[in-house]
Amino acid sequence: MHKIIISDSNCLPILSEIGALEILQKQHGKVYTTNEIVNKFKGDLPSWVIVETVTDEMRQRILEIKLAKEESSALALALENKHCTLIVEKTNAIIVAQKYNLKFIGILEIIISAKLNGIITSIKPILEKLKNTNYSISKELELYILKEANE
């Protein structure tokens, strides 16, 4: 597993909203993010979320041609940390991450991994909470996730 985990602008607020933010810490210890993402986050972030500044501002501005400022900052930070895993949700950001051969995961993969690693006992309650947010999960995807998590 990659040592550095970098979160985009969706992961932290969604997991915080459903009361599952600690899953990230239990799996990865520290999670890195950027000032742009922190500025979008409502509330205080835990001390294990480390805020980093992108050093290649030009790269970030170039990424902003196709992506929002928050996603651009996360991708730029990931490009500066070669052995990282990026938590990303938005399709256009995933496409850019693939273009740059970045390793990435999504919230659902984090939840499945937490279940398989014994961090949580069931993903069903978390999926129910996710469905009550603006996070979209089709019935087919939900069934696939439950199967992957051995539930």
Side-chain angles (χ1 to χ4, degrees):
M1 178 175 290
H2 289 82
K3 299 246 185 239
I4 297 174
I5 304 296
I6 299 172
S7 179
D8 74 350
S9 63
N10 289 325
C11 178
L12 298 173
I14 289 172
L15 289 179
S16 178
E17 183 178 343
I18 65 169
L21 197 54
E22 74 282 350
I23 290 172
L24 281 175
Q25 182 189 31
K26 289 178 181 176
Q27 285 191 97
H28 304 291
K30 296 178 184 173
V31 175
Y32 293 81
T33 196
T34 65
N35 285 309
E36 291 83 355
I37 293 166
V38 171
N39 291 338
K40 186 178 176 185
F41 187 81
K42 295 176 179 138
D44 295 326
L45 285 170
S47 61
W48 50 267
V49 176
I50 310 300
V51 181
E52 292 283 322
T53 302
V54 173
T55 57
D56 190 345
E57 293 177 18
M58 182 59 75
R59 178 184 284 159
Q60 182 175 337
R61 285 195 292 270
I62 290 169
L63 290 167
E64 286 174 15
I65 294 170
K66 292 188 176 192
L67 303 171
K69 190 171 198 161
E70 296 83 13
E71 278 69 35
S72 297
S73 69
L75 278 155
L77 186 61
L79 289 166
E80 293 175 2
N81 293 279
K82 297 209 185 284
H83 300 291
C84 73
T85 297
L86 180 64
I87 304 170
V88 64
E89 290 291 321
K90 293 185 178 176
T91 304
N92 53 351
I94 290 170
I95 291 167
V96 174
Q98 288 173 326
K99 177 183 174 189
Y100 287 104
N101 294 316
L102 293 172
K103 177 164 174 43
F104 61 91
I105 57 175
I107 291 172
L108 298 175
E109 290 167 296
I110 291 167
I111 294 167
I112 292 168
S113 177
K115 167 64 167 49
L116 295 176
N117 290 317
I119 293 169
I120 58 175
T121 57
S122 176
I123 63 170
K124 288 179 186 177
I126 294 173
L127 289 178
E128 289 306 313
K129 289 178 183 178
L130 275 174
K131 290 191 286 186
N132 291 324
T133 69
N134 64 351
Y135 196 89
S136 178
I137 303 173
S138 69
K139 188 63 179 167
E140 294 81 13
L141 180 57
E142 182 178 2
L143 292 172
Y144 173 79
I145 293 163
L146 291 169
K147 181 180 176 189
E148 288 294 306
N150 299 321
E151 286 192 32

